[in-house]
Amino acid sequence: MSDPAPERVPALETNAVHGPHTGHVGAVSTPIVHSATFSFASLDDMLAAQQQQAAGAFYQRKGHPTIHATEERLAHLEGAEAALLFPSGMAAISCAFMSLLRAGDHVVCVDPCYGGTQALLQWGRDRLGWEFTFVDARAPETWAAAFRPNTRLLHLESPINPTLAVFDIAQAATLGHALGATVTMDNTIASPIGQKPLDLGCDLSLYSATKSIGGHSDLLAGAAMGPARFMTAVHRTREVFGPIAEPTMAWLIERSLKTMPLRVRASNANALELATRLHGHPAVAQVFYPGLPTHPGHEIAASQMTNGFGPLLAFEVCGGAEIALDVVNRLRVIRHGASLGGVESLASLAAYTSHMVLGREGRARAGIPEGLIRISAGVEHIEDLWADMAQALPQGA
Ligand code: PLP
């Protein structure tokens, strides 16, 4: 008798649709359980559920079946031992930092990182004596000098918003570990489909699930994922401070996960095509997109980003911030808005929105030109996006 065919390992798309429970019968969509607490036949049953923490249906702040079903799917897609869902990306990042840092600890953080993360570090400095040093994302060779004896955390983001600088994540994780730090990675821009921080050596993968994971710009959510030895502490912090997802939101995330590979691939393909066409346009001074061979981090991005180079691109319009504002005001299909990773394409101006607080000099230091337009590519037809962009750019430039 011939050997049975080896069992096929399901591909990303299949895992995204079915999650880790392909053998289950019954509702194909997880029921939304609107119950904050649960009842038991005996005290033993109650204690058993309580002990299961996030996996136990005991009390919503500890663990909840609809929320946990989504957490299991997230962990499965990320290849993580455990995942926890949060009501926002900042709740996930804050709980991770609060779990890993004690009063007086020092953090090394890539610059520029997300503004909310900078605000968290400043809050931790004012309230808990955290110290922090920002290191230039474009110059990883300078990072080692920033570590101190009390450095406990290296926090990474790659690609970096809005200039899309990338660095070698595996090398950064090795450096952080060698110098005594735990390594966290905000992987929001690439998404779990586009980059695997845990495989690259990071300890925790953090997300604003408001972006590509949710994917429809209709909810706020966050996620933290990683090995149980870190996630147990993150769960404890979530339980203490109480930023708990809501069952309907968790269900919407589960629904979004099923199409995430399709959405992310479509957005990434649109972003690459827009970047390529903008690169040759006479009204455009420069394009920032790691998918372009001219991008200084292209080879690194190609080696660590999967399924494309992300939905986010930026470009500098010739003529400065006012001309860039005119371009954004003329866009019709691409909407003027500040988020990313949704099915709809959005445009925003760094100098007027996300990086206004830096001022002109701060932006220059961070390599952010005044006329920078950031685009989050959605899943619309590329020719509609390009026709919109072409009519909005200065004519006859
Ligand atoms: N990390 C990055 C890279 C982000 O872009 C954002 C939001 O824009 C966050 C974290 C914070 O996420 P949320 O708005 O869901 O709290």
Side-chain angles (χ1 to χ4, degrees):
M1 231 173 71
S2 62
D3 289 339
E7 202 170 320
R8 203 184 127 75
V9 178
L12 182 65
E13 292 79 356
T14 312
N15 279 331
V17 170
H18 294 290
H21 298 303
T22 47
H24 278 193
V25 293
V28 294
S29 167
T30 301
I32 305 176
V33 177
H34 273 298
S35 188
T37 194
F38 298 84
S39 64
F40 301 90
S42 68
L43 178 63
D44 282 350
D45 288 355
M46 182 190 245
L47 294 177
Q50 190 177 6
Q51 268 173 9
Q52 282 181 285
Q53 302 280 341
F58 168 73
Y59 182 73
Q60 188 170 331
R61 187 157 41 76
K62 286 184 180 292
H64 184 281
T66 310
I67 297 170
H68 193 62
T70 303
E71 291 172 339
E72 285 198 298
R73 273 178 185 263
L74 280 166
H76 190 58
L77 275 178
E78 185 85 11
E81 223 168 52
L84 288 172
L85 195 61
F86 289 85
S88 73
M90 279 320 302
I93 297 168
S94 302
C95 280
F97 281 25
M98 297 289 273
S99 306
L100 296 169
L101 295 171
R102 291 175 191 276
D105 283 347
H106 176 249
V107 180
V108 175
C109 181
V110 287
D111 184 36
C113 72
Y114 176 63
T117 306
Q118 295 183 33
L120 167 65
L121 288 170
Q122 283 154 9
W123 178 90
R125 177 194 58 200
D126 297 345
R127 306 298 300 238
L128 302 170
W130 292 351
E131 299 171 350
F132 54 89
T133 307
F134 286 120
V135 289
D136 189 337
R138 297 163 296 183
E141 68 283 359
T142 63
W143 296 2
F147 283 72
R148 302 177 187 168
N150 61 336
T151 305
R152 293 287 168 269
L153 179 64
L154 170 63
H155 182 67
L156 307 172
E157 274 182 43
S158 176
I160 292 268
N161 172 34
T163 55
L164 287 311
V166 298
F167 51 82
D168 188 320
I169 297 167
Q171 255 180 31
T174 303
L175 175 80
H177 289 149
L179 297 175
T182 301
V183 181
T184 52
M185 167 86 187
D186 182 337
N187 200 37
T188 299
I189 294 176
S191 90
I193 304 300
Q195 198 161 258
K196 299 270 183 235
L198 302 177
D199 292 351
L200 294 167
C202 300
D203 298 305
L204 282 182
S205 193
L206 305 171
Y207 291 95
S208 166
T210 312
K211 310 300 188 307
S212 300
I213 292 177
H216 296 76
S217 308
D218 54 6
L219 56 81
L220 212 62
M225 312 198 219
R229 70 179 193 283
F230 292 112
M231 292 306 293
T232 303
V234 180
H235 182 262
R236 170 98 180 107
T237 308
R238 189 181 74 168
E239 195 185 331
V240 167
F241 286 92
I244 306 296
E246 197 268 327
T248 304
M249 180 273 262
W251 181 87
L252 280 166
I253 291 283
E254 180 191 283
R255 193 171 73 161
S256 293
L257 287 180
K258 297 177 185 180
T259 56
M260 183 164 60
L262 307 179
R263 289 186 284 103
V264 169
R265 281 206 188 94
S267 290
N268 291 0
N270 277 347
L272 178 60
E273 190 58 31
L274 284 175
T276 305
R277 295 188 192 188
L278 285 165
H279 186 63
H281 197 284
V284 173
Q286 51 178 333
V287 180
F288 302 81
Y289 189 64
L292 293 180
T294 48
H295 186 281
H298 176 66
E299 273 179 34
I300 294 169
S303 72
Q304 65 193 15
M305 297 187 81
T306 48
N307 293 305
F309 295 90
L312 210 58
L313 65 134
F315 63 99
E316 181 188 5
V317 180
C318 300
E322 282 179 27
I323 304 288
L325 179 59
D326 288 345
V327 172
V328 169
N329 283 338
R330 278 195 291 268
L331 290 169
R332 291 288 168 264
V333 179
I334 302 172
R335 312 263 287 265
H336 188 177
S339 196
L340 66 106
V343 289
E344 55 289 291
S345 295
L346 295 178
S348 63
L349 291 153
Y352 290 109
T353 55
S354 53
H355 297 76
M356 191 157 91
V357 287
L358 293 184
R360 193 178 270 267
E361 273 178 27
R363 286 192 291 277
R365 253 196 322 275
I368 303 170
E370 290 302 290
L372 192 83
I373 299 179
R374 190 188 85 171
I375 302 285
S376 172
V379 303
E380 303 93 333
H381 197 287
I382 183 62
E383 296 307 336
D384 291 323
L385 295 180
W386 181 247
D388 194 32
M389 186 62 81
Q391 64 78 30
L393 285 166
Q395 309 298 305

